[in-house]
Amino acid sequence: MNTPNSSTTAASDSKPEEPVVSASNFLRDIIAEDFRAGKYDSRVQTRFPPEPNGYLHIGHAKAICLDFGLADEFNGHTNLRFDDTNPEKEETEYVDSIMEDVRWLGFHWEGLYYASDYFDQLYEWAVKLIQAGKAYVDDLSADEVRKHRGTLTEPGKESPYRNRSVEENLDLFERMRAGEFPDGSRTLRAKIDMASPNVNMRDPVMYRILHAEHHRTGDKWCIYPMYDYAHGQSDSIERVTHSMCTLEFADHRPLYDWFIRELGIFPSQQIEFDRLNITYTLLSKRKLLQLVQDKQVSGWDDPRMPTISGIRRRGYTPRAIRNFCAAVGVSRTNGSTDFAMLEHFVREDLNRTSPRVMAVLRPLKLVIDNYPEGEVEEMDAINNPENESAGTRKVPFSRELYIEQDDFREDPPKQYHRLSPGREVRLRYGYFVKCMSVVKNDRGEVVEVHCTYDPASRGGNSPDGRKVKATIHWVSAQHAIDAEARLYDKLFTKPNPGDVEEGQDFTSNLNPESLEVVAAAKIEPSVRDAKAGSRYQFERLGYFCVDPDSTAGKLVFNRTASLKDTWAKIEKRG
Ligand code: ATP
Ligand code: MG
């Protein structure tokens, strides 16, 4: 007897003992009930059906987590099926990226299929429907078909070609396939009901003529099935039990059920859930493609993009995304999720897993006048206070260091407790230092801070119990490695990027400050050989990830997330 799995897929970047957070939801309830009742012989099979016309985004991640996650829970399996019914928009690059992204999220598909694998079967079934008097060849143009369609309040009008004989329909359909007719001159339509209150049931088009090369079938076909004719039958061919999709397909379900019934084939069950929307974020492949084509971003994997490849490059972890998707849950109405929630799950995961290092983004030289010239000490630094087993490392300390420009003020404001003339602070893992003087350039800017240190405070505590109010990070000037840091902010300035003035489009809401490049950062030497994709917490600054643009001479880091949500604060200030 089958029993549901209590743990979900163990995956890359995730430890098996830490199952994805999962709460109950209506999809799981439906599947659990079917499982219990023995429907489909207690078999659970799902599919993830992307159209390969762009890169996957975080909305797709939600669908992936549901499709794969729920099947896993009930000992089932999931197929990856490319819905490649539209020959003109699909590219192999997209197919490859989709497979990479699903794998990276930590899921494994059982079967790998393409809707185009089913073109022969779909054609055969179309012939069967014609023979049964349930489909006909229509000579109306696309425009005329639309005009005959009616509206939500008015019924449609029947096409004058609706009552052709079966023989004539079979002949015309065969000749459509043989390439006798130009694009758009004819269609095959299901003969259902032009007066149906559901417009999807008003004799929907099943096939159109399109003399176009297909990325897999080449020039074999010049007629292509419509998505609505292909989707449900593809599920059925694969014997998918639970076909989960987003709410906009609810009105199409009666049509899928009609095809299944008329053809007498395996009855997959479609269940709809809400689309993921995130504030300040666009989740539409078409619009994301526009950003790529217009060079508003560096590519599909620009770290500001909500694509899986973009957030991967930015440093998000698969586990953070899975946890986020689980926490977002599912509902039967569309809503919007706060971007801060996504960042929360990213920070939560990175806080537990990323090694800490010291980096200075905007360096200011600090010279310890009473520290011996030429001396270097190796200071013990904790790699991850959240994980003792991550151990410690040595960080070189010397007479000349870099500190953050922000950590020094010549005239400190009231609440400012960091370094300023006459004030003593702690250098993390180092010593107490006290600012004695500064050196300025011609413009009057402080370019060097001179301090004295207390040799008795090694490691960060003074034996006389004296307190300091601030601890700042640093790197040793002669040991530091150069790096570029790319600091990201939201790509759009409005919670709903589609909220625009008349005559404008979403690009008018692009945030001109979404990328800031810090060209001359300094980092402790322990990260010298870091590989692209390595993630760190730069102490006090945020989470950073090594970008593939890094070279032997210069590491490039993407800021994955700041430590705190600065955006919310900025907004509050107005
Ligand atoms: P887009 O509008 O971005 O092109 P789509 O729905 O056309 O999205 P598909 O490739 O057809 O993209 O989607 C594959 C699967 O992912 C479908 O089952 C779809 O319902 C689901 N999906 C797409 N976008 C979202 C989203 N924002 N939230 C949840 N699921 C989504
Ligand atoms: Mg689509």
Side-chain angles (χ1 to χ4, degrees):
M1 153 97 205
N2 281 336
T3 46
N5 258 340
S6 54
S7 75
T8 48
T9 315
S12 57
D13 269 309
S14 95
K15 297 195 194 114
E17 73 270 22
E18 290 166 17
V20 170
V21 189
S22 56
S24 186
N25 65 51
F26 76 90
L27 290 175
R28 177 181 292 107
D29 293 345
I30 291 171
I31 295 174
E33 176 52 27
D34 289 349
F35 189 89
R36 196 199 55 73
K39 189 171 174 186
Y40 304 114
D41 300 326
S42 294
R43 188 172 62 83
V44 175
Q45 187 181 325
T46 63
R47 88 288 169 259
F48 173 62
E51 186 183 350
N53 61 346
Y55 281 61
L56 296 182
H57 52 62
I58 183 137
H60 295 111
K62 169 174 169 171
I64 291 168
C65 288
L66 290 167
D67 291 331
F68 287 86
L70 287 172
D72 279 352
E73 242 181 83
F74 293 92
N75 303 315
H77 67 254
T78 306
N79 291 338
L80 176 59
R81 182 202 318 137
F82 291 102
D83 250 312
D84 58 352
T85 48
N86 185 354
E88 284 167 321
K89 284 200 203 143
E90 289 141 10
E91 284 181 33
T92 315
E93 175 195 350
Y94 297 142
V95 168
D96 294 342
S97 76
I98 289 168
M99 292 197 280
E100 182 184 0
D101 290 350
V102 172
R103 274 194 214 106
W104 180 76
L105 280 172
F107 296 106
H108 310 279
W109 55 85
E110 176 98 1
L112 175 63
Y113 300 114
Y114 294 81
S116 56
D117 296 338
Y118 309 139
F119 282 176
D120 285 304
Q121 176 68 79
L122 291 170
Y123 182 84
E124 237 176 75
W125 280 338
V127 168
K128 194 173 160 190
L129 288 173
I130 294 172
Q131 284 165 338
K134 300 286 183 180
Y136 62 96
V137 172
D138 195 352
D139 298 359
L140 294 183
S141 68
D143 228 27
E144 289 165 321
V145 168
R146 209 170 305 123
K147 280 191 198 130
H148 277 68
R149 198 140 225 233
T151 63
L152 287 177
T153 48
E154 283 167 63
K157 260 193 1 220
E158 294 190 354
S159 162
Y161 305 98
R162 194 174 198 261
N163 294 314
R164 278 178 159 147
S165 69
V166 168
E167 290 67 35
E168 190 182 2
N169 280 321
L170 285 173
D171 174 59
L172 285 171
F173 188 49
E174 173 51 37
R175 287 163 61 196
M176 277 169 66
R177 177 193 188 164
E180 281 189 35
F181 310 121
D183 288 0
S185 59
R186 288 191 159 92
T187 54
L188 182 74
R189 297 178 69 178
K191 195 169 178 177
I192 309 180
D193 179 7
M194 288 307 291
S196 171
N198 182 346
V199 284
N200 294 298
M201 300 298 275
R202 294 183 189 167
D203 292 10
V205 171
M206 295 163 57
Y207 273 90
R208 66 223 154 112
I209 302 175
L210 204 58
H211 293 264
E213 282 261 330
H214 186 278
H215 77 126
R216 298 194 82 236
T217 57
D219 58 6
K220 176 173 175 193
W221 296 90
C222 61
I223 56 171
Y224 288 96
M226 302 300 289
Y227 180 85
D228 274 352
Y229 176 63
H231 190 84
Q233 281 79 275
S234 301
D235 283 346
S236 181
I237 290 168
E238 291 171 22
R239 304 180 76 76
V240 166
T241 58
H242 299 84
S243 174
M244 290 168 278
C245 66
T246 37
L247 288 170
E248 69 273 21
F249 293 103
D251 290 345
H252 299 240
R253 182 171 9 102
L255 174 59
Y256 302 163
D257 290 346
W258 186 89
F259 283 127
I260 281 175
R261 214 170 40 244
E262 294 300 331
L263 293 167
I265 56 179
F266 181 83
S268 304
Q269 174 186 357
Q270 174 173 300
I271 319 167
E272 304 87 14
F273 63 89
D274 60 319
R275 273 184 106 78
L276 177 67
N277 294 303
I278 302 179
T279 55
Y280 301 98
T281 306
L282 262 185
L283 298 179
S284 149
K285 277 182 283 184
R286 190 175 53 79
K287 289 178 181 162
L288 295 175
L289 174 64
Q290 190 181 329
L291 293 178
V292 173
Q293 286 175 334
D294 296 352
K295 304 218 173 345
Q296 303 276 13
V297 293
S298 65
W300 284 101
D301 68 344
D302 186 303
R304 293 168 293 179
M305 291 279 271
T307 50
I308 309 286
S309 51
I311 59 188
R312 169 168 63 233
R313 184 166 172 184
R314 175 133 169 194
Y316 284 26
T317 61
R319 183 171 42 211
I321 295 166
R322 293 196 303 268
N323 285 342
F324 166 74
C325 290
V328 164
V330 287
S331 136
R332 288 185 166 102
T333 49
N334 282 321
S336 177
T337 298
D338 202 322
F339 182 81
M341 183 172 168
L342 174 58
E343 283 208 310
H344 164 79
F345 282 95
V346 171
R347 289 195 185 99
E348 181 197 60
D349 191 34
L350 292 176
N351 180 44
R352 285 187 298 127
T353 55
S354 39
R356 274 60 170 168
V357 294
M358 290 198 284
V360 171
L361 294 185
R362 296 174 183 83
L364 172 64
K365 181 70 81 63
L366 182 151
V367 183
I368 305 172
D369 293 322
N370 61 338
Y371 193 87
E373 301 244 12
E375 176 147 335
V376 177
E377 286 179 86
E378 297 287 335
M379 301 310 211
D380 287 312
I382 294 167
N383 286 333
N384 186 349
E386 303 289 321
N387 175 12
E388 215 179 308
S389 70
T392 60
R393 70 188 182 287
K394 302 285 186 193
V395 182
F397 185 92
S398 65
R399 188 170 184 270
E400 295 198 2
L401 311 172
Y402 290 116
I403 62 167
E404 214 58 71
Q405 288 172 15
D406 269 352
D407 285 337
F408 177 81
R409 283 285 175 280
E410 198 178 8
D411 295 308
K414 253 217 170 82
Q415 296 300 317
Y416 190 89
H417 298 303
R418 290 170 264 172
L419 199 59
S420 56
R423 177 142 343 128
E424 190 173 50
V425 298
R426 174 187 295 110
L427 294 174
R428 184 142 169 91
Y429 304 122
Y431 293 96
F432 284 11
V433 290
K434 186 172 187 174
C435 174
M436 309 307 282
S437 64
V438 298
V439 175
K440 295 186 181 181
N441 63 13
D442 304 345
R443 293 192 297 273
E445 297 156 350
V446 174
V447 291
E448 265 181 38
V449 176
H450 283 255
C451 294
T452 54
Y453 84 120
D454 173 2
S457 63
R458 192 179 198 279
N461 287 303
S462 152
D464 65 11
R466 126 182 145 259
K467 294 268 184 285
V468 290
K469 282 200 169 150
T471 300
I472 65 175
H473 63 275
W474 50 274
V475 293
S476 166
Q478 60 168 305
H479 301 97
I481 50 178
D482 294 317
E484 174 181 313
R486 298 176 182 169
L487 312 183
Y488 301 105
D489 203 338
K490 298 193 170 62
L491 191 49
F492 293 95
T493 53
K494 288 199 184 150
N496 173 8
D499 172 13
V500 289
E501 302 286 311
E502 221 183 292
Q504 297 199 306
D505 74 355
F506 67 95
T507 56
S508 64
N509 288 330
L510 278 165
N511 177 7
E513 279 152 27
S514 60
L515 168 62
E516 182 190 353
V517 177
V518 175
K522 300 281 184 183
I523 309 196
E524 65 167 75
S526 70
V527 304
R528 186 183 307 278
D529 298 319
K531 299 270 175 304
S534 307
R535 305 181 185 96
Y536 297 93
Q537 185 195 99
F538 289 179
E539 296 221 16
R540 299 176 64 227
L541 297 175
Y543 297 101
F544 287 75
C545 179
V546 180
D547 190 85
D549 283 350
S550 298
T551 57
K554 191 174 198 179
L555 284 170
V556 176
F557 283 90
N558 296 312
R559 185 173 66 192
T560 311
S562 59
L563 291 181
K564 292 235 171 65
D565 189 359
T566 47
W567 185 268
K569 265 193 249 159
I570 292 167
E571 263 194 331
K572 217 182 270 168
R573 248 183 272 144

